[in-house]
Amino acid sequence: MNVDGTSFRTIWLGKDGETVEIIDQTRLPFEFIVVQLDNAGKAASAIRNMWVRGAPLIGATAAYGMALAMRDDPSDDRLSAAADLLMATRPTAVNLRWAVDEMKKLLTPLSPNARARAAYIRAGEICDEDVAICSLIGDHGMPLIHRTWEARGKPERVNVLTHCNAGWLATVDWGTALAPIYKAHDAGIPVHVWVDETRPRNQGASLTAWELGKHGVPHTVIVDNVGGHLMQHGLVDLVITGTDRTTAAGDVCNKIGTYLKALAAHDNGVPFYVGLPGPTIDWTIDDGVRDVPIEQRDAAEVTEITGRSPSGEIAAVSIVPEGSFAANYAFDVTPARLITGLITERGVSTASKAGLAELFPEFAG
Ligand code: MRU
């Protein structure tokens, strides 16, 4: 996507063809800083500290982390140590496991001197595949926005609510939830986006608003509790979110607060869609509430908030009395029954075992 006239992906190789470059997303929207990852440890830190985040981008970074490890030491020991290191970074997004497993499957049977080259090639392919998948999610999701706009008699704007950041910053390009929105905007549909700020880390306010703004998509940032009110007043035509792990039965785990939006949408008859890349489906589980590991992060993300002061200084300020405990659950699960449809690279399916099995027969048990 475009940043001030320059086309960017979220991850790419530097001039030496080996160092991995990323955008430090913890500095957005205030500063656009490119960071070099020159070893697997740094790739793991980038994921753990959320310089990169979003399920597909976590997977792509892990794949390049494996490539960096193989460049430095292609031994069996290093292969399994790098896989363990990367796997331990964040527990919820299943793309991490998917990408590390892909790399292990490819690299383990190869002789050590063939591993680095093969790893770089596969990591590059994983990135290219993600771009193609997300673009297709856009193609399949855009007609949902178009049809809604037409069904409403082509009003001045069609309102889509989204939660967290499931745009190009969360993937390699295009995004999942935002891909249909970009394609609708580019096709001349007057789409307007309600952007949930998404406490505690504010990925909506910092990242979604930033990237929509760079692309010229009209949007309004709202605090997380506003969505239900807007839906009661007919101000949301559809909801589209991303997902970090979707079960074989269509339960969707996504950023904390997604479930409450789905409940409000259900109560108000607002369609609730999820942009879902194939690698985000965990075919090994059905029951999301029971089986998806929910990441718990540092309480400081709740007790503090980061912003820019009028003098331009970026700082974290405390918003909780000293001594109060805080809990920081990073994700929740929206049961399939609350989801209108899953927008995948192969088309739109119902959130159900049968729906997903029809689109992905080769994986369904
Ligand atoms: O904690 P984050 O910022 O990695 O969480 C990201 C999300 O919850 C996204 O909605 C999800 O990864 C989908 S990304 C296309």
Side-chain angles (χ1 to χ4, degrees):
M1 301 297 273
N2 270 332
V3 180
D4 304 329
T6 306
S7 172
F8 274 93
R9 284 185 173 187
T10 52
I11 187 164
W12 64 92
L13 288 180
K15 286 206 173 71
D16 64 2
E18 292 181 352
T19 303
V20 177
E21 299 195 339
I22 55 153
I23 301 158
D24 179 352
Q25 299 193 19
T26 63
R27 311 289 280 270
L28 289 172
F30 309 116
E31 295 171 323
F32 187 86
I33 306 242
V34 172
V35 174
Q36 273 83 35
L37 308 178
D38 50 16
N39 59 59
K42 230 171 162 185
S45 301
I47 299 171
R48 192 179 308 108
N49 299 322
M50 294 179 67
W51 303 343
V52 291
R53 25 68 51 205
L57 180 55
I58 290 170
T61 309
Y64 270 125
M66 293 294 289
L68 287 163
M70 291 302 92
R71 181 198 62 174
D72 292 345
D73 170 7
S75 66
D76 285 354
D77 284 353
R78 183 76 175 118
L79 176 54
S80 77
D84 291 348
L85 173 77
L86 289 157
M87 278 297 291
T89 50
R90 293 194 71 192
T92 300
V94 80
N95 306 59
L96 175 64
R97 184 183 81 197
W98 175 84
V100 171
D101 283 351
E102 280 280 305
M103 299 302 277
K104 270 175 32 188
K105 214 166 46 196
L106 169 78
L107 300 173
T108 305
L110 299 181
S111 70
N113 61 12
R115 283 178 178 164
R117 189 176 140 70
Y120 272 102
I121 290 172
R122 183 67 191 121
E125 285 169 359
I126 285 174
C127 290
D128 290 345
E129 285 162 16
D130 182 63
V131 177
I133 285 172
C134 290
S135 177
L136 284 166
I137 288 173
D139 293 338
H140 292 300
M142 189 269 260
L144 300 170
I145 300 175
H146 191 203
R147 283 202 294 270
T148 305
W149 179 55
E150 284 191 329
R152 300 262 185 288
K154 297 193 174 176
E156 234 167 69
R157 66 187 207 182
V158 55
N159 291 301
V160 181
L161 184 143
T162 194
H163 191 69
C164 193
N165 173 261
W168 73 270
L169 287 170
T171 62
V172 179
D173 205 349
W174 281 110
T176 57
L178 296 197
I181 291 170
Y182 286 128
K183 298 234 174 184
H185 173 83
D186 291 351
I189 299 163
V191 60
H192 164 265
V193 186
W194 295 112
V195 179
D196 280 354
E197 64 172 348
T198 319
R199 276 284 285 150
R201 290 186 66 99
N202 290 328
Q203 291 95 326
S206 309
L207 305 177
T208 300
W210 182 80
E211 61 163 276
L212 288 174
K214 291 286 173 204
H215 199 81
V217 181
H219 61 279
T220 306
V221 179
I222 50 177
V223 298
D224 290 326
N225 305 326
V226 172
H229 168 78
L230 294 175
M231 290 180 206
Q232 285 175 325
H233 290 270
L235 293 170
V236 180
D237 295 304
L238 62 167
V239 180
I240 311 180
T241 74
T243 169
D244 287 83
R245 190 184 299 225
T246 292
T247 72
D251 289 350
V252 165
C253 180
N254 191 49
K255 182 52 55 191
I256 192 79
T258 303
Y259 171 47
L260 293 177
K261 291 299 135 70
L263 283 172
H266 193 253
D267 194 42
N268 289 281
V270 174
F272 187 98
Y273 289 97
V274 175
L276 168 65
T280 311
I281 304 169
D282 185 343
W283 296 102
T284 67
I285 56 172
D286 285 341
D287 184 335
V289 174
R290 191 189 58 200
D291 294 332
V292 179
I294 300 295
E295 178 178 14
Q296 290 193 54
R297 296 184 59 82
D298 192 339
E301 293 179 354
V302 175
T303 60
E304 295 175 359
I305 199 158
T306 299
R308 184 166 59 183
S309 72
S311 62
E313 190 198 352
I314 296 167
V317 294
S318 181
I319 56 168
V320 168
E322 229 174 276
S324 290
F325 290 108
N328 189 3
Y329 295 89
F331 298 94
D332 62 22
V333 173
T334 299
R337 67 186 158 77
L338 298 176
I339 297 164
T340 311
L342 301 170
I343 311 168
T344 79
E345 67 271 28
R346 297 190 186 178
V348 181
S349 83
T350 55
S352 66
K353 219 175 173 100
L356 284 173
E358 203 179 317
L359 288 185
F360 297 90
E362 72 274 37
F363 298 113

